[in-house]
Amino acid sequence: MAQQEDVFKKIVSHCKEYGFVFPSSDIYDGLGAVYDYGQNGVELKNNIKQYWWQFMTLLHDNIVGIDSAIFMHPTIWKASGHVDAFNDPLIDNRDSKKRYRADVLIEDQIAKYDEKIDKEVAKAAKRFGDAFDEAQFRATNARVLENQAKRDALHERFSVAMNANDLEGLKQIIIDEEIACPISGTRNWTDVRQFNLMFSTEMGSTAEGASKIYLRPETAQGIFVNYLNVQKTGRMKIPFGIAQIGKAFRNEIVARQFIFRMREFEQMEMQFFVKPGTELQWFEEWKKRRMAWHQALGFGAENYRFHDHEKLAHYANAASDVEFHMPFGFKEVEGIHSRTDFDLSQHAKFSGKKIEYFDPEENRSYTPYVIETSIGVDRMFLSVMCHSYEEQKLADGQTRTVLHLPAALAPIKLAVFPLTKKDGLPEKAREIVNELQYHFKCVYEEKDQIGKRYRRQDAIGTPFCVTVDPDTLTDGCVTLRDRDTMEQQRVKIEDLRSLIEDKVSITSLLKKLK
Ligand code: GAP
């Protein structure tokens, strides 16, 4: 575990050192849970967004995109339930003055029981070797059974308190479990309070009467309130989807784990409008399609799992998360929700507008049901980084840090190096960049020895490097080096485009999905 935490720390500093992610307002010592993307980060992030956008809008002829404003009519958030219910339960420790999410403190306690059980199992596995029967051990070992019983009882109490919004109940659990503040070590807790996660600001000058508006906490509502506009102007027939990528804002109480939980982040959301009664079939279908999208990146099926929600939001009749194996455990990257007709019906009620679909096949109107797929760009970015980062021991005893980014997502696809800065080699190398830069992102580099230049490109995940040497000027060939295998081959300059373009294009990923 500690080793995994070290790896995570290294990934965070790698992100800063190589221009992927910087703390926001860095020269002012940062701003809590807000981050900026640097010169390489923005390219990787844009590629992730392209991959998602093209999957949705190119591969599905019944999905179109929109880009709605961040500021929206304040009644939208009343209708959606966010004003009244978009809360987290918070608790303060009076000694450290630190604020925590009560539910997270309890979840961490549940995880501690899991860890104790896993430790017992690991110890026994080591002791018994090949003869070890894990299922039998878990079913019979006294210490495992005792911890399992405590864990299950806590989990049950926690679920009941959360489902009933029982804040006193949550505090009582924290007291009974003797949960202490990790900073002060004391159990001097305040009561648990609800804390609304929406940021608000004022629109308009006070003279004309300013009104309180919110920074959107999800992009989805911009889609719901445009349902009629898009359906009518696009003459969309159910089932159809509307996709959107954009910023969302949440005043997270506890912002942890780098870009995993941010106060300003980006979402890629798609609402798929279906006939009532067909939603659970579509829910299963979208689970499949989204999992295929993730797995096409080649990170290994074993690193993904679904986590079905036990506690459903009041408007949902099914919900499942796609979780990815991060260095700090399996964590949610995407949510897939069957949201019934809740949002459209609420907006119809609050706006007074009829929001329905006339189904020509059934000759009747109804309020469509909605399947939502919602993924955080930043979390996706983090999962890509975590999986790609490697400190590789080489045969000669040296270590190289390499990002095995899927080539289609890599910020730079090709780096072109002249072997030396003389004899016309820089000019030839620049000629290659000038030719290929129309097709994919290339850079020219002449500083330092070739070995150092390779290492710099490995560290930012550039899949291909090309070296121009004196022979190039006579035979028209260059050395093409592969990031992952470090193998080098001599190829003709005119073949470079065809050798590289396919491998680094988003299309290469999309083709795996058809
Ligand atoms: N419209 C549904 C919705 O917003 P959600 O589960 O609250 O659902 C969807 O969020 C996704 O947005 C999450 O799976 C996660 O990837 C991302 N996300 C949510 N809160 C985030 C935060 N504070 N920082 C970064 N990403 C976040």
Side-chain angles (χ1 to χ4, degrees):
M1 199 65 187
Q3 210 182 357
Q4 291 289 72
E5 276 165 22
D6 284 352
V7 171
F8 189 59
K9 276 190 196 145
K10 283 184 183 167
I11 293 169
V12 175
S13 42
H14 191 86
C15 279
K16 182 165 185 197
E17 193 181 340
Y18 287 92
F20 284 93
V21 183
F22 306 126
S24 156
S25 325
D26 204 9
I27 56 170
Y28 291 94
D29 297 330
L31 181 69
V34 186
Y35 290 89
D36 296 340
Y37 285 83
Q39 67 280 11
N40 290 317
V42 70
E43 297 288 346
L44 171 55
K45 196 177 181 215
N46 281 343
N47 290 336
I48 291 172
K49 290 195 271 185
Q50 277 295 312
Y51 176 38
W52 185 89
W53 187 259
Q54 293 188 10
F55 166 74
M56 288 295 176
T57 64
L58 291 188
L59 297 196
H60 298 91
D61 56 12
N62 58 353
I63 297 181
V64 292
I66 62 162
D67 182 18
S68 71
I70 289 173
F71 292 150
M72 293 198 274
H73 196 289
T75 309
I76 287 173
W77 304 110
K78 195 77 196 144
S80 67
H82 284 83
V83 171
D84 296 322
F86 195 52
N87 300 320
D88 276 344
L90 70 83
I91 189 165
D92 293 288
N93 181 270
R94 291 198 184 91
D95 300 320
S96 66
K97 310 269 183 271
K98 287 280 171 203
R99 180 161 286 178
Y100 298 91
R101 268 175 63 176
D103 55 332
V104 172
L105 284 179
I106 299 170
E107 274 166 5
D108 287 350
Q109 181 73 1
I110 294 173
K112 277 189 189 149
Y113 286 118
D114 287 334
E115 270 168 37
K116 277 186 192 165
I117 296 168
D118 289 346
K119 257 193 200 151
E120 290 294 339
V121 173
K123 252 186 356 202
K126 212 166 159 193
R127 202 167 54 234
F128 294 115
D130 287 345
F132 183 56
D133 180 342
E134 185 178 329
Q136 198 198 354
F137 182 79
R138 282 181 183 270
T140 53
N141 179 271
R143 266 196 300 270
V144 169
L145 290 176
E146 188 192 335
N147 279 314
Q148 189 68 46
K150 282 187 190 162
R151 182 223 180 267
D152 292 347
L154 172 58
H155 185 263
E156 175 60 23
R157 240 182 118 187
F158 174 54
S159 300
V160 170
M162 285 297 282
N163 280 319
N165 271 331
D166 176 5
L167 302 184
E168 278 174 28
L170 289 177
K171 178 165 182 190
Q172 200 53 50
I173 295 175
I174 290 173
I175 292 169
D176 293 348
E177 287 288 323
E178 302 184 342
I179 296 174
C181 166
I183 306 291
S184 65
T186 72
R187 299 184 203 119
N188 191 6
W189 296 110
T190 62
D191 286 343
V192 178
R193 282 173 296 139
Q194 289 288 23
F195 177 78
N196 193 287
L197 299 183
M198 280 198 295
F199 285 102
S200 63
T201 185
E202 304 256 293
M203 181 175 255
S205 71
T206 26
E208 66 182 54
S211 58
K212 181 175 178 180
I213 56 164
Y214 298 98
L215 297 189
R216 64 182 180 199
E218 61 171 15
T219 59
Q221 297 303 324
I223 295 179
F224 290 123
V225 298
N226 275 294
Y227 161 80
L228 280 181
N229 285 337
V230 174
Q231 193 273 320
K232 289 203 169 122
T233 57
R235 289 177 296 144
M236 308 300 291
K237 286 202 169 55
I238 270 178
F240 75 91
I242 305 178
Q244 162 153 249
I245 300 179
K247 288 272 178 142
F249 304 84
R250 295 183 189 177
N251 197 2
E252 298 284 358
I253 302 169
V254 188
R256 278 197 303 195
Q257 280 142 347
F258 191 38
I259 54 172
F260 183 79
R261 198 175 298 287
M262 302 157 90
R263 297 201 166 103
E264 174 180 340
F265 58 101
E266 211 165 355
Q267 287 186 316
M268 308 189 280
E269 299 202 292
M270 194 280 299
Q271 313 293 322
F272 199 70
F273 300 94
V274 303
K275 187 157 65 168
T278 63
E279 72 275 9
L280 292 180
Q281 272 153 269
W282 278 113
F283 173 71
E284 290 306 326
E285 177 60 28
W286 275 105
K287 275 175 70 176
K288 248 193 273 161
R289 288 188 196 179
R290 293 303 304 145
M291 189 55 101
W293 182 90
H294 284 279
Q295 293 190 1
L297 290 170
F299 296 162
E302 70 284 3
N303 286 312
Y304 298 90
R305 69 181 188 197
F306 281 117
H307 171 248
D308 296 330
H309 287 207
E310 287 168 36
K311 183 194 172 200
L312 289 175
H314 57 286
Y315 52 78
N317 64 3
S320 191
D321 295 334
V322 177
E323 294 187 337
F324 183 74
H325 195 194
M326 304 267 196
F328 43 92
F330 270 95
K331 295 287 166 193
E332 172 191 342
V333 174
E334 171 159 9
I336 299 159
H337 313 122
S338 174
R339 288 179 80 131
T340 67
D341 61 353
F342 174 80
D343 302 87
L344 291 183
S345 300
Q346 284 292 99
H347 289 307
K349 193 164 123 196
F350 278 73
S351 68
K353 304 275 182 332
K354 195 169 157 196
I355 308 181
E356 287 188 342
Y357 174 75
F358 176 74
D359 192 327
E361 280 164 26
E362 301 212 347
N363 199 26
R364 69 177 179 104
S365 294
Y366 51 76
T367 307
Y369 271 42
V370 172
I371 305 301
E372 163 183 79
T373 72
S374 173
I375 171 169
V377 181
D378 313 87
R379 274 199 201 169
M380 188 62 206
F381 184 108
L382 185 59
S383 65
V384 170
M385 269 293 180
C386 289
H387 193 271
S388 303
Y389 181 89
E390 190 193 10
E391 282 175 11
Q392 199 176 45
K393 274 252 170 289
L394 302 177
D396 62 5
Q398 289 194 14
T399 311
R400 71 162 181 158
T401 303
V402 54
L403 283 185
H404 299 285
L405 295 172
L409 301 186
I412 292 162
K413 313 300 185 188
L414 175 70
V416 184
F417 310 145
L419 188 61
T420 58
K421 289 187 214 168
K422 51 183 193 194
D423 302 332
L425 301 189
E427 289 76 9
K428 191 74 197 164
R430 283 203 187 274
E431 223 177 79
I432 295 173
V433 171
N434 290 344
E435 168 74 23
L436 293 176
Q437 66 188 356
Y438 296 101
H439 310 289
F440 41 81
K441 178 103 181 136
C442 306
V443 291
Y444 169 88
E445 254 216 75
E446 60 177 26
K447 196 170 171 284
D448 297 324
Q449 288 170 336
I450 288 290
K452 270 199 177 166
R453 285 183 251 172
Y454 281 151
R455 289 291 174 274
R456 271 204 298 275
Q457 295 302 324
D458 289 344
I460 60 169
T462 305
F464 298 106
C465 294
V466 144
T467 303
V468 172
D469 57 34
D471 289 342
T472 306
L473 304 180
T474 49
D475 67 5
C477 290
V478 287
T479 304
L480 178 65
R481 183 236 193 209
D482 180 283
R483 174 197 68 198
D484 296 333
T485 61
M486 293 190 287
E487 270 165 21
Q488 304 188 2
Q489 50 170 324
R490 202 75 189 153
V491 301
K492 284 207 163 77
I493 292 174
E494 66 253 36
D495 292 341
L496 279 175
R497 182 177 162 196
S498 62
L499 281 169
I500 297 171
E501 193 172 22
D502 253 11
K503 296 189 184 126
V504 300
S505 73
I506 300 282
T507 315
S508 66
L509 285 178
L510 296 177
K511 279 187 178 158
K512 294 187 190 170
L513 295 165
K514 261 290 180 191

